[in-house]
Amino acid sequence: MSRRIALSVAAGVVVLGGAGAFVVAHAGERTPALAHSTARYTAPDGARDGSLVVVADVTASSGVKSVKVLAWPQKSSFAEKGLTAKDMAAAESAVCKPSGQDTVRCTYTVKVTGADAESSPRGAWHVAILATAQDGTTTLDTEAADFTVR
């Protein structure tokens, strides 16, 4: 092998090795991943309260710091202007429990009273989920799950 080819191969290995180290270093900085998001709405019935239960799996290589949940009606200002992470600042937190190596299963449950149901818009609703990893990266899914209020 000529000296020029040997130097080119060595330089290529150094460049590829550096790129590999860059990829490995930044692999931990991926945004959290949401999966299997569901929403189950049960309307109040007589004296019995209803509920909204939202469940989602969240995976983050650095660990999950928080998961916030917000239910919003399809016919709202969020549908017109779009929901942002800033809008989620005051949203309520889900309770998360480990369910895999870097994954947690998060559950959000809220009671729905008869008065709540009466004052809520009828029709389609969406559930937004904001997941924040320990490293500060975030993922916002504005329509992670859907349900209907009748």
Side-chain angles (χ1 to χ4, degrees), residues 14 18 21 64 107:
V14 169
V64 176
T107 305

Side-chain angles (χ1 to χ4, degrees), residues 13-143:
V13 168
V14 169
V15 169
L16 289 176
F22 178 79
V23 168
V24 169
H26 289 283
E29 295 178 19
R30 290 189 313 248
T31 59
L34 297 171
H36 311 294
S37 303
T38 61
R40 188 180 70 237
Y41 173 77
T42 304
D45 184 20
R48 182 183 55 84
D49 288 332
S51 64
L52 172 63
V53 178
V54 177
V55 177
D57 291 336
V58 182
T59 302
S61 57
S62 67
V64 176
K65 180 178 180 180
S66 68
V67 174
K68 294 194 171 205
V69 177
L70 177 69
W72 58 279
Q74 183 171 321
K75 295 179 181 176
S76 72
S77 62
F78 290 137
E80 296 169 14
K81 68 175 183 134
L83 186 64
T84 66
K86 186 176 179 180
D87 296 321
M88 296 291 291
E92 295 182 11
S93 296
V95 174
C96 300
K97 296 181 179 178
S99 66
Q101 183 176 348
D102 296 327
T103 303
V104 293
R105 169 145 300 162
C106 301
T107 305
Y108 169 79
T109 304
V110 64
K111 179 173 69 170
V112 179
T113 66
D116 294 333
E118 285 299 315
S119 65
S120 295
R122 302 289 181 250
W125 283 63
H126 303 293
V127 175
I129 298 176
L130 175 66
T132 303
Q134 291 290 349
D135 65 10
T137 57
T138 61
T139 296
L140 173 62
D141 186 345
T142 59
E143 296 183 23

